[in-house]
């Protein structure tokens, strides 16, 4: 089977594309390469804007996985108009083109961010979504645009991922566990903006496996699936990162508490992905930190702009790209 990973040169794609290849899928990537290309040579990479792909480009593929767009709140807030185009319109447009071209399944990288600010309840895929900020609204728009195309000849799956963490060849240090790990090492400090806020988390190899399970799912399956390891408060995450760094590296870490209000607070149930896709996450938070420690030689300079999406995006915007 031939698969196109749209936006596959990013943080998740750099783990997912090689995993698909290892499982015997012919895997191509189409990406603007904002963060470079860290993929192995067996993955064919096309440096193109996804808006330019036509039916002929899409016809060879049985499935398309969409990982592109602006992938966090700071990028979305830096240019909300572009955010709504890249996150809301682009997935719907590409899914429409893919369906026209005879692609059989479209898998969309959605986000638990769509849940917004929830109160003390476990949210499943049928719970109301209440996000009122550009990133969440646009991810929901993209998800809805893709899903309403589902039918007997076209499967549409949206994976609402928790925050993804751990090592990828295209590294990011602007994700909760990765950021805490970085400051623990560079400053000996983890800053907790609000210890009681809830977040679902997932390791990057687990999220790649969730996409693999979606690829492998029975053709009749379409719909929305939450994917996460579990739900944690930010305070719990800080303790887990501190304990792991202290235990493995023998380095003392101090936690600094603040009381900053957050507009995102949610915990989700992942039963549907488990029951229908057969998805079972393997990696714990200490193992996320462990992967960052084990791959330490591969990202020596923590301050490289490439590890922070907003820094790269600000440059791209200034250059008018
Ligand atoms: N990382 C997370 O914690 C997380 C959590 C939930 C959802 N998601 C979603 O998963 C997806 C992948 O996340 P990531 O962390 O790998 O992001 P990333 O920012 O590392 O990668 C995104 C990639 O998309 C490419 N891209 C953007 N617009 C494009 C376009 N128009 N044409 C071609 N390529 C384009 C970029 O060059 C980049 O390589 C995103 O859609 C994000 O919203 C991520």
């Amino acid at each position: 089977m031939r698969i196109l990973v749209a936006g596959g040169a990013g943080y998740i794609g750099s783990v997912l594309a090689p995993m698909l290849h290892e499982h015997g899928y012919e895997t191509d990537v189409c990406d603007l390469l904002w963060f470079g290309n860290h993929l192995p040579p067996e993955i064919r990479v096309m440096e193109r804007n996804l808006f330019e792909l036509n039916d002929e480009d899409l016809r060879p593929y049985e499935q398309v996985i969409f990982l592109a767009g602006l992938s966090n709140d700071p990028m979305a807030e830096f240019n909300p108009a572009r955010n709504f185009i890249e996150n809301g319109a682009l997935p719907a447009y590409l899914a429409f083109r893919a369906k026209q071209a005879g692609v059989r399944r479209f898998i969309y990288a959605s986000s638990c961010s769509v849940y917004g600010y929830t109160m003390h309840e476990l949210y499943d895929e049928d719970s109301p979504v209440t996000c009122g900020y550009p990133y969440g609204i646009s991810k929901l728009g993209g998800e809805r645009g893709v899903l309403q195309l589902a039918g007997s000849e076209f499967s549409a799956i949206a994976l609402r991922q928790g925050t993804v963490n751990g090592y990828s060849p295209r590294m990011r240090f602007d994700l909760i566990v990765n950021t805490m790990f970085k400051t623990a090492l560079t400053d000996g400090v983890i800053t907790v903006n609000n210890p009681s806020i809830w977040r679902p988390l997932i390791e990057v190899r687990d999220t790649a496996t969730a996409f693999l399970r979606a690829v492998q799912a029975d053709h009749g399956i379409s719909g929305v699936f939450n994917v996460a390891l579990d739900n944690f408060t930010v305070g719990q995450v800080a303790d887990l990162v501190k304990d792991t760094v202290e235990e493995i590296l023998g380095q003392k870490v101090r936690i600094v508490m603040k009381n900053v209000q957050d507009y995102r607070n949610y915990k989700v149930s992942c039963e549907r992905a488990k029951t229908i896709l057969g998805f079972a996450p393997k990696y714990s938070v200490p193992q996320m930190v462990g992967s960052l420690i084990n791959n330490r030689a591969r990202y020596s300079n923590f301050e490289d702009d490439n590890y922070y999406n907003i820094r790269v995006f600000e440059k791209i915007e200034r250059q008018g790209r």
Side-chain angles (χ1 to χ4, degrees):
M1 188 200 296
R2 197 159 169 198
I3 300 178
L4 177 68
V5 189
Y11 174 69
I12 296 169
S14 298
V15 174
L16 172 61
M19 184 186 279
L20 291 171
H21 179 80
E22 262 174 49
H23 282 76
Y25 300 105
E26 205 181 323
T27 307
D28 298 342
V29 160
C30 178
D31 197 295
L32 283 169
L33 304 185
W34 286 345
F35 311 102
N37 177 8
H38 308 272
L39 291 160
E42 56 272 20
I43 309 293
R44 190 168 78 97
V45 179
M46 295 167 272
E47 186 177 356
R48 283 179 76 183
N49 191 326
L50 292 161
F51 272 115
E52 293 166 5
L53 295 190
N54 58 34
D55 291 1
E56 214 165 292
D57 296 314
L58 291 163
R59 205 165 287 128
Y61 300 103
E62 201 164 314
Q63 300 199 15
V64 172
I65 298 175
F66 183 95
L67 299 176
L70 312 190
S71 46
N72 67 9
D73 288 292
M75 294 168 95
E77 276 150 29
F78 190 75
N79 187 341
R82 187 169 183 182
N83 166 69
F84 279 93
I85 293 167
E86 298 268 356
N87 283 358
L90 177 57
Y93 174 68
L94 194 67
F96 161 74
R97 293 307 295 244
K99 188 175 180 180
Q100 296 271 310
V103 170
R104 307 253 304 149
R105 169 167 281 155
F106 193 94
I107 305 168
Y108 173 61
S110 190
S111 167
C112 289
S113 289
V114 300
Y115 290 113
Y117 201 96
T118 69
M119 290 305 284
H120 316 303
E121 259 183 75
L122 203 56
Y123 270 46
D124 68 18
E125 295 82 350
D126 298 323
S127 302
V129 284
T130 57
C131 55
Y133 37 89
Y135 181 68
I137 304 167
S138 67
K139 292 302 286 184
L140 187 63
E143 184 187 292
R144 290 192 168 152
V146 168
L147 281 172
Q148 56 86 31
L149 290 166
S152 58
E153 294 302 312
F154 187 72
S155 154
I157 292 179
L159 300 183
R160 287 183 182 164
Q161 306 163 90
T163 305
V164 187
N165 294 279
Y167 172 76
S168 161
R170 191 262 122 169
M171 203 46 219
R172 285 184 65 176
F173 280 108
D174 55 1
L175 301 158
I176 177 169
V177 172
N178 295 9
T179 304
M180 288 182 177
F181 171 76
K182 178 224 149 187
T183 61
L185 263 64
T186 54
D187 310 332
V189 168
I190 293 173
T191 304
V192 174
N193 283 333
N194 188 328
S196 66
I197 287 288
W198 285 91
R199 284 284 187 284
L201 302 182
I202 185 165
E203 214 262 0
V204 65
R205 286 166 292 179
D206 277 335
T207 212
T209 301
F211 282 95
L212 176 69
R213 295 286 170 260
V215 166
Q216 295 168 334
D218 181 86
H219 186 73
I221 291 173
S222 285
V224 182
F225 299 88
N226 293 334
V227 290
L229 160 71
D230 206 343
N231 304 289
F232 301 85
T233 67
V234 177
Q236 281 177 325
V237 182
D239 287 346
L240 288 165
V241 175
K242 169 184 157 72
D243 291 351
T244 313
V245 167
E246 289 184 343
E247 193 182 315
I248 300 180
L249 297 175
Q251 205 165 311
K252 202 84 197 112
V253 179
R254 194 164 51 89
I255 293 179
V256 174
M257 290 290 176
K258 295 199 171 162
N259 221 328
V260 181
Q261 194 44 23
D262 200 318
Y263 51 81
R264 293 199 287 148
N265 181 25
Y266 38 80
K267 19 185 184 192
V268 300
S269 156
C270 298
E271 277 308 303
R272 187 184 287 179
K274 191 173 159 192
T275 312
I276 298 180
L277 301 180
F279 171 63
K282 285 202 300 202
Y283 299 103
S284 65
V285 173
Q287 285 170 312
M288 297 176 199
V289 176
S291 79
L292 297 172
I293 293 172
N294 293 339
N295 289 287
R296 180 90 171 81
R298 294 190 166 91
Y299 56 86
S300 50
N301 177 11
F302 277 117
E303 280 313 319
D304 188 332
D305 285 349
N306 225 30
Y307 301 152
Y308 305 88
N309 278 22
I310 186 61
R311 296 190 197 168
V312 173
F313 190 60
E314 282 178 8
K315 281 189 217 165
I316 288 168
E317 289 279 286
R318 270 199 300 275
Q319 292 160 359
R321 284 200 277 147

